[in-house]
């Protein structure tokens, strides 16, 4: 389930808060009710409305969403989804407007490969925190042609394949005879990351 927040007033020409959403003062009450009835709330949604003009509307709702996430976590709900409704308005200066309400810790970045090939671009534009050498960027779904299309262009070696397995998964597999063989294989070839690291790297 997603808990939809009510947007009381925004710069949008067509308001959604008059008809949809939960008042902020009732969030904890609804999450407690969901807990009592064994309902899993996995995230938050909101909709600023149609033709929104002020990026601060999004900043305010994202802040309320964060508080809702924290309340949900305290009540036993694992929240991983933030649905911002119709999305940020698409105009010529939309990116600059969005940067105005983005946290100061995020910077506009381009993720590029190490070759001189101008096509060696992974993501042209995205917001990321300050990174250090050795930090990991994780992409859950890269598609079928990442490793298959890699080359040794410019003399760079192909990237090796690593299996990412949580400590919890390894501990579970070691309980079974077949799993012990798999664990032995994985420990020699994998990068083992705890769940907390997977969320921060």
């Amino acid at each position: 389930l997603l808990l939809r927040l009510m947007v009381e007033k925004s710069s949008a020409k067509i308001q959604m808060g008059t008809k949809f959403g939960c008042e902020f003062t009732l969030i904890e009450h609804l999450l407690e009710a969901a807990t009592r009835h064994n309902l899993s709330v996995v995230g938050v949604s909101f909709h600023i409305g149609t033709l929104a003009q002020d990026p601060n509307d999004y900043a305010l709702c994202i802040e309320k969403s964060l508080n809702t996430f924290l309340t949900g976590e305290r009540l036993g709900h694992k929240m991983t989804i933030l649905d911002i409704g119709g999305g940020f308005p698409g105009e010529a200066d939309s990116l600059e407007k969005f940067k105005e309400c983005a946290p100061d810790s995020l910077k506009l970045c381009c993720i590029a490969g190490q070759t001189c090939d101008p096509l060696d671009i992974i993501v042209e534009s995205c917001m990321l925190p300050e990174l250090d050498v050795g930090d990991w960027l994780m992409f859950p779904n890269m598609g079928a042609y990442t490793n298959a299309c890699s080359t040794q262009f410019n003399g760079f070696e192909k990237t090796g394949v690593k299996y990412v397995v949580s400590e919890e998964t390894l501990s579970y597999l070691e309980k079974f005879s077949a799993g012990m063989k798999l664990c032995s294989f994985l420990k020699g070839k994998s990068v083992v990351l705890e769940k907390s690291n997977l969320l921060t790297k």
Side-chain angles (χ1 to χ4, degrees):
L1 298 177
L2 295 181
L3 177 58
R4 177 157 179 167
L5 304 183
M6 182 179 73
V7 181
E8 296 178 358
K9 288 185 179 181
S10 71
S11 61
K13 293 184 178 180
I14 300 177
Q15 302 284 325
M16 295 291 187
T18 56
K19 191 173 183 180
F20 302 104
C22 166
E23 293 182 15
F24 193 68
T25 55
L26 298 177
I27 288 173
E28 186 166 355
H29 171 72
L30 285 180
L31 290 173
E32 288 175 343
T35 301
R36 288 196 304 272
H37 293 283
N38 295 319
L39 298 174
S40 178
V41 181
V42 298
V44 173
S45 70
F46 64 82
H47 198 307
I48 296 296
T50 302
L51 300 176
Q53 303 298 316
D54 187 356
N56 290 317
D57 292 337
Y58 291 87
L60 179 61
C61 286
I62 290 173
E63 182 179 358
K64 287 185 176 181
S65 298
L66 173 60
N67 292 331
T68 304
F69 268 59
L70 295 175
T71 301
E73 183 177 347
R74 176 167 53 82
L75 295 173
H77 298 282
K78 184 179 179 181
M79 294 189 177
T80 59
I81 298 174
L82 176 59
D83 181 349
I84 64 171
F88 199 75
E91 299 176 355
D93 59 347
S94 291
L95 181 58
E96 293 302 318
K97 286 185 177 180
F98 190 79
K99 286 166 60 179
E100 292 176 13
C101 64
D104 293 337
S105 59
L106 299 181
K107 302 180 183 300
L108 182 62
C109 299
C110 171
I111 304 176
Q114 55 189 341
T115 71
C116 67
D117 189 340
L119 298 178
D120 191 8
I121 301 293
I122 302 169
V123 180
E124 289 188 0
S125 178
C126 62
M127 303 299 291
L128 290 173
E130 190 75 30
L131 298 175
D132 293 322
V133 175
D135 284 350
W136 286 38
L137 296 177
M138 300 191 70
F139 298 83
N141 298 295
M142 286 294 289
Y145 297 104
T146 49
N147 191 57
C149 291
S150 64
T151 70
Q152 293 180 304
F153 183 63
N154 278 160
F156 295 110
E157 295 293 330
K158 291 185 178 182
T159 302
V161 176
K162 296 290 185 180
Y163 300 89
V164 180
V165 184
S166 69
E167 293 283 3
E168 293 86 350
T169 300
L170 282 180
S171 297
Y172 178 77
L173 290 173
E174 287 176 339
K175 297 178 182 179
F176 308 96
S177 57
M180 291 179 65
K181 294 181 180 179
L182 178 59
C183 288
S184 178
F185 169 79
L186 290 175
K187 286 180 178 179
K189 297 179 178 294
S190 66
V191 176
V192 180
L193 299 177
E194 294 182 355
K195 187 179 297 184
S196 59
N197 288 335
L198 287 174
L199 296 176
T200 57
K201 288 292 186 180

